[in-house]
Amino acid sequence: LVDSVAEHQATSPQAYLQFLSDIYYVAPIGFVMCFFGRTDAKVFLLAYGAVAYYFSAKMSRLVILLGPIASALGGVALGGFFRWVVESAVLATDFVMKNIGFVASDSDIDSVESDGSKKPAKKPVGAKKASNSVLGLKMPEPVVKLYNQPFFVIIRAVVGIAALYLLYVRGQVFSEYCQTMARHMSHPSIMFKGQLRDGSTVLVDDYREGYWWLRDHTPEDSRVLSWWDYGYQITGIGNRTTLADGNTWNHEHIATIGKMLVSPEKEAHSMIRHVADFVLIWAGGQSDDLAKSPHMARIGNSVFPDICPNDPLCRSFGFVGGRPTKMMAESLLFKLHGSGLVEGVQVNPKFFREVFRSKFGKVRIYAVLQVSQKSKKWVADPANRLCDRPGSWYCPGQYPPALEDVIARRKNFAQLEDFNRAKDPNSKQYTDQYHKSFEQGG
């Protein structure tokens, strides 16, 4: 599952830079600054930063955890820089004004009391005492004196003001980058423009069209089987129950969906008829379900080793020389994808019936025939839900008894990102074998 989802892979430096941009360089400075002059607030930032970074490194989708703390640490660094610039500017201004006579210096003639006695001149209002540290760090006295020499104070002020200007310019670029990223990440992904062979531009709206068809032409209690990628869309747009969605922590359940899709048609139907009323697939090429099917087979095989015995990569499920292997050609997914489009490929009319095909063929929906009403009623019965306590909203369902034999063959699998669970030696062995096969070129 980790391999099939880019967001589940370990976070790369490029991912940090992409999502954090300039803060990627600034936040570590703020983190280091928190070690000096420690306060409760700084200790909190240190702990928050360490924990957030640890989890974000596990998978790229968790980089979002770094957003708040990276901003806070960036603020610490920039705040320290602004303070340094202001202090340098005040000291430089004080020195310059003294030398041009606008402010009395310590060597000025003492003022005279009304009775003729002398009193020392008062310290000019606003005069700034030089700091006894360098950048907030205790330093030897000679270093401090050199650091506070008028010449270096003026240089510090000039450099600081110039850096502020550059920071302002860079801030404009950073702001625009954030706006661009926000627009890109919020752009709807189920509608896009495409070009036909004649060069004309069209709006491809197949996915929304398919989900709305489910909403408008199926019973409200319909259950839709699809690969987990589209689960949230089916639920949110089609308003129908889906068997899997983007909450992919239940690896064994995702693997069971994979087994249903890559198994031979008759075997797949014997399982699907107990859990679903419709099957929705993405077709039409590019990133469709057929392109994703090797991942489905591999994920299913990690829990059901009999799918591809002793072959974590499921190399027997795929294409050789542009033609499907025997296992691929017999799979339910291949038949649903190519039925009526590929010569000699048809779904068994006793098991499935196509009820919807979108305008450009991107979505195909099949009705499951011979649905087990007994299993459907059993699953819908609240008494068969495992609520954590009476009246709770958290009530995970169970597989119907008819699938007990299938579920009994499952082997639990600890994913790479399951860092909150004890490591499973068998799962580790499988994962090592999987990556070794990749290193050897599959």
Side-chain angles (χ1 to χ4, degrees):
L1 185 56
V2 170
D3 178 61
S4 72
V5 189
E7 307 95 87
H8 283 189
Q9 297 178 9
T11 307
S12 65
Q14 291 75 20
Y16 283 115
L17 183 58
Q18 176 186 1
F19 292 110
L20 298 179
S21 188
D22 294 349
I23 298 298
Y24 172 81
Y25 300 104
V26 179
I29 300 175
F31 186 83
V32 173
M33 291 174 64
C34 288
F35 282 98
F36 303 96
R38 286 196 300 267
T39 62
D40 290 345
K42 289 183 177 181
V43 171
F44 171 75
L45 292 178
L46 289 171
Y48 187 175
V51 172
Y53 177 75
Y54 172 79
F55 284 104
S56 71
K58 292 294 182 177
M59 64 173 88
S60 59
R61 74 190 308 178
L62 294 184
V63 171
I64 191 173
L65 297 178
L66 271 182
I69 184 60
S71 299
L73 292 174
V76 170
L78 293 176
F81 170 72
F82 291 148
R83 183 172 58 250
W84 175 78
V85 172
V86 170
E87 289 178 351
S88 299
V90 170
L91 285 174
T93 302
D94 183 61
F95 171 76
V96 171
M97 294 185 71
K98 281 182 178 180
N99 280 271
I100 63 177
F102 281 101
V103 178
S105 64
D106 294 339
S107 60
D108 287 344
I109 300 175
D110 294 341
S111 59
V112 182
E113 293 283 5
S114 57
D115 60 359
S117 62
K118 294 183 179 181
K119 69 173 184 178
K122 293 182 179 179
K123 186 176 180 180
V125 177
K128 178 72 176 179
K129 182 180 179 181
S131 173
N132 60 354
S133 63
V134 176
L135 298 177
L137 303 178
K138 294 293 183 180
M139 291 290 182
E141 187 175 349
V143 175
V144 175
K145 286 185 176 180
L146 180 63
Y147 180 74
N148 290 321
Q149 284 293 318
F151 175 76
F152 287 105
V153 169
I154 295 175
I155 294 297
R156 282 159 45 192
V158 172
V159 170
I161 293 173
L164 277 179
Y165 174 75
L166 295 177
L167 190 62
Y168 170 78
V169 174
R170 184 61 195 176
Q172 301 299 309
V173 177
F174 176 72
S175 177
E176 180 59 30
Y177 180 83
C178 292
Q179 294 295 329
T180 302
M181 283 290 292
R183 287 193 296 269
H184 174 73
M185 299 180 72
S186 63
H187 187 73
S189 59
I190 63 171
M191 298 171 62
F192 58 91
K193 290 182 179 181
Q195 278 193 332
L196 300 180
R197 293 181 179 178
D198 61 5
S200 59
T201 301
V202 295
L203 179 64
V204 180
D205 192 23
D206 287 33
Y207 305 116
R208 182 212 51 83
E209 183 183 346
Y211 302 142
W212 277 18
W213 186 92
L214 284 173
R215 182 195 66 184
D216 298 335
H217 296 88
T218 63
E220 291 186 1
D221 64 346
S222 296
R223 303 158 299 169
V224 182
L225 169 68
S226 72
W227 193 229
W228 67 265
D229 295 29
Y230 333 122
Y232 285 139
Q233 296 176 1
I234 292 172
T235 301
I237 303 174
N239 197 27
R240 291 297 177 263
T241 298
T242 181
L243 268 61
D245 54 34
N247 183 8
T248 55
W249 285 109
N250 192 336
H251 181 95
E252 290 73 25
H253 179 63
I254 300 295
T256 304
I257 300 296
K259 177 177 175 60
M260 292 177 180
L261 292 171
V262 304
S263 294
E265 185 179 12
K266 184 176 181 180
E267 179 185 350
H269 178 265
S270 69
M271 295 181 283
I272 294 174
R273 65 185 291 263
H274 293 288
V275 294
D277 303 292
F278 295 91
V279 179
L280 181 148
I281 66 166
W282 277 20
Q286 295 180 334
S287 300
D288 64 6
D289 281 348
L290 199 62
K292 300 173 184 176
S293 61
H295 290 301
M296 301 178 190
R298 295 168 186 172
I299 294 168
N301 191 56
S302 66
V303 173
F304 295 94
D306 58 330
I307 295 179
C308 303
N310 301 316
D311 182 15
L313 294 183
C314 273
R315 285 163 288 197
S316 57
F317 187 88
F319 291 85
V320 177
R323 299 182 62 83
T325 61
K326 182 176 184 295
M327 182 179 178
M328 169 67 82
E330 293 177 350
S331 69
L332 170 65
L333 181 60
F334 182 79
K335 293 190 174 183
L336 296 179
H337 188 278
S339 182
L341 300 177
V342 178
E343 184 179 355
V345 178
Q346 291 288 341
V347 294
N348 190 324
K350 295 181 180 180
F351 299 147
F352 301 96
R353 182 181 75 252
E354 185 175 15
V355 293
F356 174 81
R357 186 186 306 180
S358 62
K359 181 178 180 180
F360 296 104
K362 296 289 187 182
V363 176
R364 302 184 73 174
I365 301 175
Y366 292 82
V368 181
L369 305 181
Q370 304 176 38
V371 171
S372 172
Q373 295 301 321
K374 180 179 179 181
S375 293
K376 186 171 184 177
K377 290 179 181 178
W378 188 92
V379 171
D381 188 349
N384 296 320
R385 296 174 184 168
L386 302 176
C387 299
D388 58 348
R389 61 183 179 83
S392 172
W393 60 269
Y394 182 70
C395 299
Q398 301 186 76
Y399 295 100
L403 291 182
E404 284 182 355
D405 291 343
V406 175
I407 303 306
R409 298 201 301 270
R410 296 199 312 191
K411 181 187 69 173
N412 290 341
F413 185 82
Q415 303 179 70
L416 290 180
E417 68 264 37
D418 285 345
F419 40 79
N420 57 337
R421 289 168 50 181
K423 298 301 180 183
D424 176 9
N426 293 327
S427 299
K428 184 179 186 304
Q429 181 181 5
Y430 182 94
T431 302
D432 292 343
Q433 185 182 1
Y434 178 88
H435 288 293
K436 184 177 180 180
S437 298
F438 258 128
E439 293 171 0
Q440 294 175 349

